[in-house]
Amino acid sequence: MSRYTTIPRPTEAAAIGACKRLVLPSADQVADRLIVARATHDRYGARHFSNLLDRILEGAH
């Protein structure tokens, strides 16, 4: 018999289900902000808005 007890852990599906869903902005708004970020050489903003736009477009299928 082990002295350690098993700690029950939630599954990934339960953890994802417990999270609040984010309301994403429209693809047009994000695309506009991505254009501005690239035009102003804002590398962080460009990367952020590019990833966000990818997430929005993947969910649109």
Side-chain angles (χ1 to χ4, degrees):
M1 188 162 164
S2 175
R3 347 183 279 198
Y4 301 105
T5 58
T6 304
I7 299 171
R9 297 192 173 130
T11 63
E12 183 179 357
I16 291 173
C19 294
K20 290 183 182 177
R21 253 193 113 113
L22 293 177
V23 178
L24 297 175
S26 71
D28 290 334
Q29 289 176 331
V30 175
D32 290 343
R33 291 180 181 152
L34 176 58
I35 291 168
V36 171
R38 287 181 177 167
T40 58
H41 304 287
D42 178 6
R43 292 188 317 187
Y44 174 79
R47 184 175 49 211
H48 172 76
F49 290 121
S50 178
N51 290 335
L52 184 57
L53 186 59
D54 287 343
R55 286 179 56 195
I56 291 169
L57 294 178
E58 285 174 1
H61 293 308

